Amino acid sequence: EVFMAIFPHLPHLEVLRLDGIATVSDEVVVAAAEALPRLQELCISHSQVTDAGIAAVAAACPDLRTLVLDECAKLTDSAMQSLADGCKELQVLSIRLCSRLSDAAV
């Protein structure tokens, strides 16, 4: 994919907005997380990302401050646990209409 070819050339990127791109998958999100260690804001609403993709973000992007996941229908409570464990600087988390998340996860 185009995204995965570009990410390694942008190691200082701090903001990445891919919201509304339905083809964004775990593969794209993992590649971004691994290549963009300074990422502070990630917007991937309406994507196909799963718990595995969010776990990779949580592990690779400890300085993440804003994460927008609105209408990511494949996410479960496990994704929220990964974020709680790995993203200690997270200040803004938007999970509007993530239908598989329970009240306990929020």
Side-chain angles (χ1 to χ4, degrees), residues 31-101:
E34 291 174 351
L36 308 173
R38 295 184 181 190
L39 207 57
Q40 292 185 16
E41 180 177 330
L42 177 61
C43 302
I44 50 174
S45 294
H46 307 278
S47 70
Q48 298 300 313
V49 70
T50 70
D51 296 344
I54 297 304
V57 168
C61 302
D63 296 328
L64 196 66
R65 287 173 171 69
T66 300
L67 181 58
V68 181
L69 300 170
D70 298 338
E71 297 187 48
C72 290
K74 295 182 179 184
L75 296 180
T76 70
D77 293 4
S78 178
M80 298 303 103
Q81 186 62 54
S82 295
L83 292 172
D85 293 342
C87 294
K88 302 296 184 189
E89 301 299 320
L90 197 62
Q91 297 172 3
V92 176
L93 174 63
S94 183
I95 50 174
R96 187 177 53 86
L97 299 175
C98 291
S99 57
R100 295 183 66 197
L101 295 179

Side-chain angles (χ1 to χ4, degrees), residues 11-32:
H12 301 291
L13 193 72
E14 294 180 356
V15 176
L16 180 61
R17 294 187 176 137
L18 300 174
D19 40 329
I21 304 173
T23 58
V24 171
S25 64
D26 284 343
E27 185 178 19
V28 172
V29 172
V30 169

